[in-house]
């Protein structure tokens, strides 16, 4: 940015973000242009993932001979659509690799495991830049969506997966057995002893898996929170202390 004197120069916000996160100027320009459009409508995480994967930092992700065919086959197994005319694009491949990471889907070959590591190594700093750009521009929905996407990258899970599916050894059959007993939240499992947990799972997990699950649950704190409203009506603008 040129100063008021017409001579001095000052870095723009986008320039500072690019410098801080070691990003290409084309990436922050892309985010500035694309994220505004995303924020005007419902902020779908699939749209934010597309913008993330279009970053210039993924230009050199290798797409080897005949991998466009493998990418097409992988796309059919993943939930979010990609542009089907671009299976030979490194940006589409990055999108598919991240979706496979979220779904914990098996990758078709060892080269894809290496490629996923390369994508993940850069994803968090690019997403942090996305959050900063959206927050600076006042795009609340986009900033929150980018934060959710950051959490998905860190945990390797889609945002809407059942909360119990992250527990060790937990399968679809085990989740169904727990749900049949009304057990759908982690706080409920924490309060079960080992025998009650074994009965609830109804033989869906092996002895070793049950032991590992029980050991994990035993390390988690069981906390309770009680709060009561103030005994008298509180006037607008007045302060009041609440005891927890």
């Amino acid at each position: 940015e040129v100063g008021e004197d017409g001579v001095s120069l000052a870095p723009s916000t986008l320039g500072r973000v690019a410098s801080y996160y070691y990003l290409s100027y084309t990436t922050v320009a892309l985010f500035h242009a694309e994220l505004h459009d995303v924020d005007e409508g419902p902020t779908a995480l699939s749209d934010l993932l597309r913008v993330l994967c279009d970053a210039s930092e993924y230009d050199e992700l290798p797409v080897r001979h005949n991998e466009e065919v493998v990418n097409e086959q992988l796309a059919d197994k993943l939930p979010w659509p990609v542009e089907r005319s671009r299976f030979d694009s490194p940006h589409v491949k990055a999108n598919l690799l991240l979706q496979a990471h979220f779904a914990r889907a098996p990758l078709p070959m060892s080269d894809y495991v290496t490629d996923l590591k390369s994508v993940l190594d850069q994803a968090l700093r690019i997403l942090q830049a996305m959050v900063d750009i959206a927050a600076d521009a006042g795009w609340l929905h986009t900033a929150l969506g980018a934060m959710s996407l950051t959490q998905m990258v860190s945990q390797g899970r889609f945002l809407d997966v059942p909360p119990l599916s992250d527990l060790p050894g937990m399968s679809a059959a085990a989740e169904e057995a727990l749900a049949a007993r009304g057990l759908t939240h982690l706080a409920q499992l924490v309060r079960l002893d080992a025998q009650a947990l074994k009965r609830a799972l109804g033989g869906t997990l092996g002895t070793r898996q049950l032991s590992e699950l029980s050991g994990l649950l035993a390390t988690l704190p069981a906390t309770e929170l009680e709060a009561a409203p103030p005994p008298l009506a509180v006037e607008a603008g007045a302060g009041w202390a609440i005891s927890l």
Side-chain angles (χ1 to χ4, degrees):
E1 296 177 347
V2 180
E4 294 181 358
D5 58 6
V7 178
S8 59
L9 297 175
S12 65
T13 300
L14 295 179
R16 289 177 183 272
V17 170
S19 175
Y20 186 82
Y21 293 108
Y22 299 97
L23 299 180
S24 167
Y25 75 94
T26 56
T27 294
V28 294
L30 169 75
F31 288 173
H32 184 69
E34 291 276 343
L35 295 180
H36 178 270
D37 294 336
V38 170
D39 200 71
E40 288 183 343
T43 308
L45 290 176
S46 57
D47 292 333
L48 290 177
L49 181 63
R50 174 187 55 79
V51 176
L52 165 67
C53 294
D54 281 342
S56 299
E57 282 63 32
Y58 294 132
D59 284 349
E60 302 302 321
L61 183 69
V63 180
R64 303 169 188 88
H65 181 61
N66 283 338
E67 279 192 353
E68 67 274 9
V69 178
V70 180
N71 291 341
E72 183 174 6
Q73 294 170 347
L74 183 58
D76 292 335
K77 302 175 184 177
L78 298 172
W80 291 347
V82 295
E83 193 173 342
R84 302 192 69 85
S85 62
R86 298 178 59 212
F87 283 123
D88 59 347
S89 165
H91 303 285
V92 169
K93 182 178 179 180
N95 189 313
L96 295 174
L97 288 171
L98 285 173
Q99 285 196 58
H101 174 62
F102 302 152
R104 299 188 179 177
L107 294 174
M109 61 185 74
S110 59
D111 285 338
Y112 274 54
V113 177
T114 304
D115 294 339
L116 174 59
K117 184 179 184 304
S118 174
V119 170
L120 292 174
D121 284 345
Q122 302 199 71
L124 288 179
R125 67 186 176 91
I126 300 175
L127 279 166
Q128 288 166 352
M130 185 183 290
V131 171
D132 285 356
I133 291 171
D136 180 73
W139 302 329
L140 175 62
H141 298 299
T142 297
L144 293 176
M147 292 177 190
S148 296
L149 198 57
T150 301
Q151 193 68 23
M152 289 166 59
V153 169
S154 299
Q155 293 190 330
R157 298 298 276 170
F158 279 105
L159 198 63
D160 57 354
V161 297
L164 298 184
S165 63
D166 285 328
L167 294 175
M170 191 62 60
S171 62
E175 289 181 47
E176 291 175 4
L178 292 173
R181 293 174 174 261
L183 302 171
T184 57
H185 299 289
L186 183 60
Q188 296 171 304
L189 294 190
V190 168
R191 289 174 170 80
L192 295 181
D193 58 36
Q195 291 302 316
L197 183 65
K198 183 177 180 180
R199 290 193 299 270
L201 287 169
T204 57
L205 297 184
T207 303
R208 182 176 178 180
Q209 292 173 313
L210 271 173
S211 176
E212 184 180 2
L213 180 58
S214 297
L216 172 66
L217 294 175
T219 65
L220 300 177
T223 59
E224 294 184 2
L225 179 66
E226 294 182 1
L232 303 174
V234 180
E235 297 181 359
W240 193 272
I242 299 178
S243 299
L244 297 177

